[in-house]
Amino acid sequence: MSKNQEAASLKAGDHLILVDGSTFIFRAYFQASTMDAKYQKRKSDGLPTGAVQIFCNMLWKLLQEGLTPEPGDEPTHMAVIFDHSAKTFRNEIYNEYKAQRPEPPQDLIPQFGLIRDATRAFSVHCIEQEGFEADDIIATYATQAAKAGARVTIASGDKDLMQLVGPHVGMIDTMKNKIIGEPEVYEKFGVGPDKVIEVQSLAGDSVDNVPGVPGIGLKTAAQLINEFGDLETLLANASSIKQPKRRENLIEFAEQARISKQLVTLKCDVPVELPVAALAVEDMNGPRAIAFLKAMEFNTLTRRVAEATGAEISAIEPAELVVRGWHEPDGKGRIMEGAPASDPADPPAEPNKASLAADPASAGEWTAADLAAARAEAARAAKVDNSAYETVRDMERLRAWIEDAFETGHVAVDTETTSLDAMQADLVGISLATAPGKACYIPLGHVDGEGDLLGGGGLVEGQIPLKDALDALKPMLEDRSVLKIAQNLKYDWLVFHRYGIDVAPYDDTMLLSYTLDAGKGGNGMDELSERWLGHTPIPFKEVAGSGKSMITFDKVTIDKATAYAAEDADVTLRLWRVLKPRLAAEHMAAVYEVLERPLVPVLARMEQRGISIDRQMLSRLSGEFAQGMARLEAEIHELAGKPFNIGSPKQLGDILFGEMGLPGGKKTKTGAWSTSASVLDDLAAEGHELPARIVDWRQLSKLKSTYSDALPGYLNPQTGRVHTSYSLASTTTGRLSSSEPNLQNIPVRTEEGRKIRKAFVAEKGHKLVSADYSQIELRVLAHMADIPQLRKAFEDGLDIHAMTASEMFGVPVKDMDPMVRRRAKAINFGIIYGISAFGLAAQLGISRGEASDYIKTYFERFPGIRDYMDATKKFVHEHGYVQTIFGRKAHYPEVNTSNPNLRSFYERAAINAPIQGSAADIIRRAMIRMEDRLERAKLSARMLLQVHDELIFEVPEAEVDRTIPVVREVMEKAAEPAVDLAVPLQVDARAAANWDEAH
DNA sequence: CCTGCCCCATA
DNA sequence: GTATGGGGCAGGA
């Protein structure tokens, strides 16, 4: 209930306080920096909070007593106004405006977001609007309120706002505790508030880079304005000025003065999103404010707020906050670019761990690992009861759940839809969970499954209209003070985005699990539930069936849907409680925050954009391939002496090695003849024709079935484009994977295959730009293993395989035999793959002994590589995991198996993972930074695809030349500043109408 | 109808 | 020798 809820209005006698958040942040920061160091950082982890603390104290004071301690002065309406971004309409007028602003100090950056969080935590409106400065919004609100007869106080020290002072409008400089009225304005500018802009347009402002007129300062400007009345009159009479220099300047820089006036004139008619009446002060939500203050560790203010609101401090958990832009050394010399603000190292009391939590005073001695262990134990002990969930059928109950989410500060969310494809999924219902066991399902689109023949399919009774529910949920789903928790958030993000909702901030339990446990098993919800909760969730097929008889979720009865869907939210929340504290305990927060979490919306947007394919071209190709196959088929049957199914390896093996009696080489692991390409190639090399034709046939068959036939089936009817789905959590190394369709294995090696690639095209007026890292894995290896020759070769831009050959075989690079280079290349790849004589022999078609000799020679030339490999093997056997240069872990729990083949396999995988994984981390970093960098360069390039070491963009033709350098810069610098690579990264980029020519 | 196997496309 | 996803076949349900 708001104090003014009965009248969401603003009238004479009301008091509106408008806090200028943006300038306040800077001034609070500098004031904090003059204080004792202990007031500038959060004690538990060093998060800089000085400015936030000063801000909170100021806000609390204003809310309690207004400008003066006198009763009746406290505000009836209040808001804190921020600048949305650096760009405003003023830059359109004068592009140098505020161009000289330096970058904010490093330890201020994380506090920008926290101050906004603080505002909301105090239940005060937090206002910012794209394209407008805070000053303009303040001017608009002040003008409207003054017109309504209310009293307005602007809390700011910014002289630009002094033009607003008037009978109804005052200012207070809260930093200096100074009240500014008309006399003070006169003192500062030498004119009244109504003439302030005239003076400023002449005098200019070096801080904001407002030019003014050269040679005219505040004093002269005031004198001139007092004499002539306003700028235009002055300029019209400039020729009558006595002082020659001043006269010349006024004439020469008249236009500059007019521009300056536009710059300093505040806009009083911003189309504000919230009407001024809606800024009414609400009763403070004590627990919410306390949760925030506790997270910040502002103990004194926490106590004061608790006393004033009657809230119980110990019953409230610190808020889970997301901090942007915080660089914290995490103990391993790596850099944190963002971090969870709630520090589980200072955990709340855990009711399930009585022995540890009995004395709240001892809570401070908990370690993050204690909390994680207690949470894991509690999660396993608690039972999941999926019959106890609520079905939310009216707005009243929905609002209660939303309120609960605001109170708790976090909520697990899950969407139920009509499709597994997020791009085509319509919302059927939403489930929420705010505490273990406390979950609900909100049915929104369930239809009558009966009477399919007679139409049926009408909405079932007892559901909130979709729009009403989304309107109510949107503010909570977008509110920075409520952490949304989902399992595989990318899916729900895409669904919500289609309905105009931008979910933030968020956590993803799938990514938490992936960050912590990659390689230990799957990260799907059902599997995690088994692993951590000892609970089997209701299988999807139990509610919707499977196979041909599967029904879409909108046909599921609401009772069944509630048990299934609310359970998902409940389980997700429980998993989050187990996994989140482990991030801090196991020092993996940096990996999660820097490499995992930020990628979710980036990938979601890439999926959403999709890519154009030329359907006619593919259809024509299918025809070509079919013809070729038919021709080959006849030939093959002729050669075989009888018809058989060429696509059947079993039948083919029987023909080749049985009936024809060719020398069968390898067997598969089930004992069947191998008919793999390498076997057939060997036979062909001996002059046998049939195997050669089979290889040709197989190629066409693959291209046709996997690509030219299948791809058009993935065209989205709405967008006319193909939208792949990226998986963030299905590789052990940190690579992404792509499916439905897989656009990471589009052919490129053969001429025929590249025809498929040509069918990926840019839309009209655009080009596809492909940018790929050159030899990134070998560069990463050169860095990690610290190999001087390799480092030098990359620094000098040499042909790395030729250099390797030269080192190994003692031949000059110039006029090198291509076969020699090819051998070296195979060895280089072999190294990355954890080389074995067996594998290298197979690759090069040489004997095991020869391959062994090569490897031996290689290690003699590059002893650092052998050292690196031995060290990696030792490490994985001791720890069960290996790490990338950014700290990502890949686990190999079975590496100590007694099975020697398996053991070697895991060892090779463990050697490969840091190399492949570090390269994957680098491109992830590039992708995360890319969109912002393009936007800041005012480029409209859209990132569409990632293929491990390559990014594909769609770029307007006119922007291609400006886009490529930006893309290259972001990619080449992607490791910085976290890692200073000892070798340069090189990116090759090209533009063309289709993917083949761009690549 | 589902699953394992074989083969093959990519980095 | 590393990491994936997917199509077709064949066998067991």
Side-chain angles (χ1 to χ4, degrees), chain A residues 179-417:
Chain A
I179 293 176
I180 298 161
E182 293 194 44
E184 288 77 16
V185 175
Y186 202 92
E187 194 182 319
K188 166 90 187 163
F189 285 99
V191 294
D194 57 327
K195 300 287 185 198
V196 164
I197 52 175
E198 315 288 335
V199 168
Q200 285 181 297
S201 61
L202 288 170
D205 183 336
S206 59
V207 178
D208 289 348
N209 222 17
V210 174
V213 176
I216 298 184
L218 265 186
K219 285 245 167 70
T220 314
Q223 185 200 319
L224 289 169
I225 293 302
N226 279 325
E227 188 180 338
F228 290 90
D230 59 40
L231 178 68
E232 280 309 320
T233 313
L234 168 64
L235 294 177
N237 296 292
S239 52
S240 68
I241 301 285
K242 289 190 195 73
Q243 297 85 340
K245 193 69 200 162
R246 189 176 296 172
R247 184 173 61 236
E248 275 170 37
N249 281 340
L250 277 169
I251 293 166
E252 188 181 345
F253 294 99
E255 203 45 41
Q256 189 168 302
R258 291 193 181 96
I259 289 171
S260 300
K261 185 170 171 182
Q262 278 182 281
L263 293 177
V264 299
T265 304
L266 297 181
K267 202 168 156 54
C268 296
D269 56 356
V270 174
V272 287
E273 280 158 13
L274 271 186
V276 64
L279 303 179
V281 170
E282 291 171 12
D283 277 346
M284 190 179 297
N285 178 334
R288 189 174 161 194
I290 288 166
F292 176 83
L293 294 169
K294 261 183 112 163
M296 289 288 99
E297 300 168 12
F298 300 156
N299 298 331
T300 311
L301 191 54
T302 307
R303 265 200 314 280
R304 276 191 204 146
V305 173
E307 278 165 29
T309 60
E312 180 63 43
I313 295 179
S314 58
I316 298 165
E317 291 204 12
E320 302 272 356
L321 296 169
V322 178
V323 180
R324 289 271 171 210
W326 180 32
H327 293 245
E328 186 209 30
D330 71 353
K332 290 197 173 151
R334 291 190 301 274
I335 300 296
M336 237 175 148
E337 295 172 8
S342 69
D343 184 358
D346 180 20
E350 286 290 309
N352 296 312
K353 194 78 178 173
S355 57
L356 279 168
D359 176 12
S362 73
E365 288 164 33
W366 273 45
T367 64
D370 290 334
L371 176 67
R375 287 271 179 94
E377 191 179 315
R380 191 159 274 284
K383 284 289 150 275
V384 176
D385 177 4
N386 58 36
S387 65
Y389 302 127
E390 175 182 346
T391 308
V392 173
R393 295 185 175 278
D394 55 54
M395 286 300 289
E396 195 181 328
R397 289 305 304 149
L398 178 57
R399 278 191 280 264
W401 277 96
I402 292 169
E403 183 63 23
D404 196 26
F406 274 107
E407 288 278 336
T408 317
H410 58 253
V411 59
V413 182
D414 188 31
T415 55
E416 300 302 334
T417 65

Side-chain angles (χ1 to χ4, degrees), chain A residues 461-479:
Chain A
E461 297 269 299
Q463 299 183 85
I464 301 172
L466 181 69
K467 185 180 182 310
D468 294 356
L470 292 179
D471 285 347
L473 285 161
K474 181 178 159 87
M476 182 274 281
L477 293 172
E478 296 183 343
D479 195 299

Side-chain angles (χ1 to χ4, degrees), chain A residues 132-202:
Chain A
F132 298 100
E133 284 184 59
D135 287 358
D136 298 311
I137 299 170
I138 291 173
T140 302
Y141 279 137
T143 309
Q144 290 177 1
K147 204 175 282 175
R151 183 156 70 98
V152 180
T153 301
I154 299 168
S156 173
D158 186 350
K159 62 186 178 335
D160 291 346
L161 287 163
M162 290 188 185
Q163 61 185 268
L164 298 170
V165 170
H168 290 92
V169 183
M171 281 177 72
I172 179 166
D173 185 340
T174 54
M175 305 298 295
K176 296 181 183 159
N177 220 4
K178 183 179 163 196
I179 293 176
I180 298 161
E182 293 194 44
E184 288 77 16
V185 175
Y186 202 92
E187 194 182 319
K188 166 90 187 163
F189 285 99
V191 294
D194 57 327
K195 300 287 185 198
V196 164
I197 52 175
E198 315 288 335
V199 168
Q200 285 181 297
S201 61
L202 288 170

